[in-house]
Amino acid sequence: MATRTAQPEESGEEGDISQRCRRFMCSPVTDVRVLQQNPGEMRTRMEMLIMETQAEFCRALEEVDGGTFQVDKWQRKEAGGGGISCVMQDGKVFEKAGVNVSVVSGYLTEEAAKQMRSRGKSLRGRDGKLPFCAMGVSSVIHPKNPHVPTVHFNYRYFEIEEEDGSKQWWFGGGTDLTPVYINPEDASLFHGTLKEACDRHHPRYYPDFKKWCDRYFYIRHRGETRGIGGIFFDDLDSPSQEEVFSFVKSCARTVVPCYLPIVRKHLNDPFTQEEKDWQQVRRGRYVEFNLVYDRGVKFGLATPGSRIESILMSLPLTARWEYMHEPAEGTPEAEMLAVLRNPEEWV
Amino acid sequence: MATRTAQPEESGEEGDISQRCRRFMCSPVTDVRVLQQNPGEMRTRMEMLIMETQAEFCRALEEVDGGTFQVDKWQRKEAGGGGISCVMQDGKVFEKAGVNVSVVSGYLTEEAAKQMRSRGKSLRGRDGKLPFCAMGVSSVIHPKNPHVPTVHFNYRYFEIEEEDGSKQWWFGGGTDLTPVYINPEDASLFHGTLKEACDRHHPRYYPDFKKWCDRYFYIRHRGETRGIGGIFFDDLDSPSQEEVFSFVKSCARTVVPCYLPIVRKHLNDPFTQEEKDWQQVRRGRYVEFNLVYDRGVKFGLATPGSRIESILMSLPLTARWEYMHEPAEGTPEAEMLAVLRNPEEWV
């Protein structure tokens, strides 16, 4: 049971809430006054973290691209909450970059609540209904240059109130990389940065969440992973809310150092039309994973009133499906495919 | 109950089986000697029809394109049957054209057999297992020119043997059109040709199967149909096997006259980059339908040992996802979208 609530004084978040909000891409989903009234609540602290992560990542991408994110603040129809979608399309470096925050609340049926927990715990609600709150930041970045990998991350928090007033909460998330060509140095930097963040919290986190990531981002019908993984976890509710939040904060803060050095290193790499075509074929596989297997996308598409454009902003601007495409032996394309068929250890 | 078997003399299929096979894209899936031994069986007659439909359509497309289909004959691993995939990629007129035949047999569990019938009839097998046979021809053609529409068709036959030796059988299929720009003349020709074929068999077929088609090819999360429809039916097992087969034969024979006149009319239409981009956005929606909703694709991807390349050959060579794409009012793109949001009557 995970009901110990976090103490504001342990939080380590600096500065006044309204001051911190000034650095965001726009005002938060929840009214600033509500956030100010409850600075110690996990809902507030997590919303501040996801807004900060969005802003920090968008600014870093804007700096390297020279372009500007389009910012759309939206509200859920006939339900509580909304989100902020930041998209940069057809930039100099990025073909499509999306960074989305959503904060949603309402009531779940007992069945729906059960399905939201990957371990399927049953929960008891008042008259079968459970007040819930879900929030997260998620992002997919598709660069133009085939030597710059695609990155995806998502960090999220759920809270459900049971009949007796007790709160169930958990965190989930992860960051993973999808290169078009394998570069062991990049792979080691990426995984190494994630491992460092994980190791500060628990020695099992990196090895366990690395495996979970390879298992989750698996395109079963192709027999290959979507990319070279990273970390993925869900349903994390121990040892304490404070400690899990602290871990999630560490993860969120690695997004820029994980990815931006790789972007800068390769953004001017020369490439051929063949390399661009292979990138497009890999983009097709990305679409296959996202539309066929991704739980978030499936849940979103099936939920009435969800904002389709924000769910599908993870799809690349362009993709390609070639019949019977199989790279010739000994080529860099075949080397990439071999890694996707047999995930490797990078640190 | 649909157990009256067809009489060979009623069939109307002309010529000797081995002679007819010479016109196919390659030898049929089932050994010609087996077909020759059972000329009156529906399995034989349907396999001949789907092979003929494949050949007739491929030749017509080759003639208009100038290119040649790649023909792949494949066998199912660890199971009975196989198929013949014909694909022409990056031709002069067609970006990707796929015409696939498959003939598959084996054993189904009672649960799987029930799921195969859209009305969910329960069937009793020997020790819970039911011998089945499924065959069909299916095709998707994606042209290069945005003024030439995409076409899809599929005609299929199922047979399941119950414990007492009685056979359950049914036919399914349809043909539908997905233009990038609406052209009422083309739409009328297409629907009119289908209606004519339907009307020869039953006055309710066209209106009922037209509605079914609009309902089936619906991209729920977008609130729009995939294209302007055509006909779609499933589970057809009355009034008699002979009459349903005769209807399916009429449908299969309309594929060329439905589509080729439209291709010839527009293949040299000039087009702009904006029109090409809109085509690519529509292709993205095609991918969304096929990966998220299409029953055949979902079933195929979930079935171990199925040939993924043949299932996914329906995906376009290229597609595009633009964030928040919405055509300006009064444009031809907006006109197309209006039709997809409110299906029209074309005949």
Side-chain angles (χ1 to χ4, degrees), chain B residues 276-294:
Chain B
K276 189 71 191 167
D277 283 351
W278 171 241
Q279 178 199 55
Q280 294 296 298
V281 169
R282 297 311 313 166
R283 293 266 153 95
R285 305 293 164 93
Y286 209 93
V287 172
E288 287 177 30
F289 178 83
N290 286 23
L291 293 181
V292 178
Y293 300 109
D294 190 81

Side-chain angles (χ1 to χ4, degrees), chain A residues 3-276:
Chain A
T3 46
R4 190 188 150 212
T5 48
Q7 299 306 306
E9 60 270 27
E10 301 170 17
S11 72
E13 292 108 46
E14 311 93 42
D16 165 68
I17 281 184
S18 73
Q19 248 178 341
R20 286 165 70 201
C21 285
R22 272 181 226 143
R23 297 193 297 263
F24 297 167
M25 299 304 281
C26 73
S27 59
V29 178
T30 305
D31 194 296
V32 179
R33 285 162 299 185
V34 176
L35 296 175
Q36 283 174 320
Q37 280 156 18
N38 310 285
E41 273 195 19
M42 189 48 74
R43 290 179 182 212
T44 301
R45 297 168 69 199
M46 185 63 178
E47 187 167 343
M48 293 300 284
L49 176 64
I50 60 182
M51 289 298 299
E52 251 153 20
T53 305
Q54 181 184 51
E56 190 197 0
F57 194 50
C58 287
R59 306 292 187 216
L61 296 175
E62 282 182 343
E63 201 200 315
V64 80
D65 187 277
T68 311
F69 274 90
Q70 174 186 338
V71 180
D72 293 307
K73 194 169 180 178
W74 47 273
Q75 290 209 303
R76 277 175 86 213
K77 289 169 216 150
E78 298 154 30
I84 295 146
S85 294
C86 299
V87 176
M88 180 161 60
Q89 198 167 272
D90 215 2
K92 210 162 60 76
V93 174
F94 303 108
E95 191 182 87
K96 197 161 160 196
V99 192
N100 191 50
V101 152
S102 70
V103 178
V104 160
S105 60
Y107 291 88
L108 288 175
T109 62
E110 287 174 355
E111 189 46 38
K114 191 176 168 179
Q115 281 182 6
M116 286 185 87
R117 299 214 65 161
S118 58
R119 279 177 275 156
K121 283 190 192 174
S122 52
L123 299 155
R124 222 169 302 154
R126 209 161 292 179
D127 305 321
K129 283 187 143 192
L130 301 117
F132 85 103
C133 167
M135 59 177 75
V137 56
S138 73
S139 172
V140 176
I141 310 300
H142 295 291
K144 286 189 164 167
N145 191 311
H147 298 295
V148 184
T150 287
V151 77
H152 160 253
F153 72 85
N154 167 237
Y155 290 97
R156 55 193 181 275
Y157 171 67
F158 287 93
E159 226 179 70
I160 293 184
E161 199 183 314
E162 287 195 272
E163 192 182 24
D164 62 2
S166 70
K167 274 181 190 163
Q168 288 254 354
W169 57 263
W170 68 97
F171 290 88
T175 305
D176 63 278
L177 199 72
T178 304
V180 174
Y181 289 97
I182 196 72
N183 180 314
E185 256 181 48
D186 297 348
S188 295
L189 169 86
F190 184 80
H191 276 270
T193 309
L194 287 171
K195 184 174 184 300
E196 242 180 74
C198 289
D199 286 352
R200 285 205 294 279
H201 299 272
H202 199 292
R204 290 302 314 159
Y205 278 177
Y206 176 75
D208 290 353
F209 299 162
K210 193 267 184 197
K211 267 198 210 86
W212 198 341
C213 190
D214 287 335
R215 244 180 4 248
Y216 181 78
F217 292 103
Y218 182 64
I219 309 170
R220 203 179 53 228
H221 62 268
R222 298 283 188 182
E224 54 190 52
T225 55
R226 186 176 75 173
I228 61 160
I231 57 167
F232 182 90
F233 59 92
D234 203 356
D235 246 339
L236 205 61
D237 62 1
S238 66
S240 72
Q241 198 178 41
E242 197 55 41
E243 286 178 63
V244 182
F245 178 62
S246 165
F247 168 58
V248 168
K249 200 158 57 178
S250 293
C251 290
R253 291 193 172 153
T254 60
V255 170
V256 170
C258 254
Y259 184 55
L260 267 292
I262 300 174
V263 175
R264 286 209 189 82
K265 187 173 151 196
H266 296 290
L267 69 95
N268 291 316
D269 283 6
F271 60 86
T272 64
Q273 186 57 47
E274 286 66 38
E275 290 170 333
K276 189 71 191 167

Side-chain angles (χ1 to χ4, degrees), chain A residues 72 85 87 89 96 221-222 287-288 301 307-309 312 315-324, chain B residues 72 85 87 89 96 221-222 287-288 301 307-309 312 315-324:
Chain A
D72 293 307
S85 294
V87 176
Q89 198 167 272
K96 197 161 160 196
H221 62 268
R222 298 283 188 182
V287 172
E288 288 177 29
L301 295 187
R307 190 175 188 261
I308 297 304
E309 287 297 333
L312 295 184
L315 300 180
L317 189 62
T318 55
R320 188 175 176 88
W321 282 270
E322 286 192 29
Y323 177 65
M324 301 274 278
Chain B
D72 293 306
S85 293
V87 177
Q89 198 166 275
K96 198 162 162 193
H221 62 269
R222 298 283 187 183
V287 172
E288 287 177 30
L301 294 187
R307 190 174 188 262
I308 297 304
E309 288 297 333
L312 295 185
L315 299 180
L317 189 60
T318 55
R320 188 174 176 89
W321 281 270
E322 285 191 30
Y323 177 66
M324 301 273 280

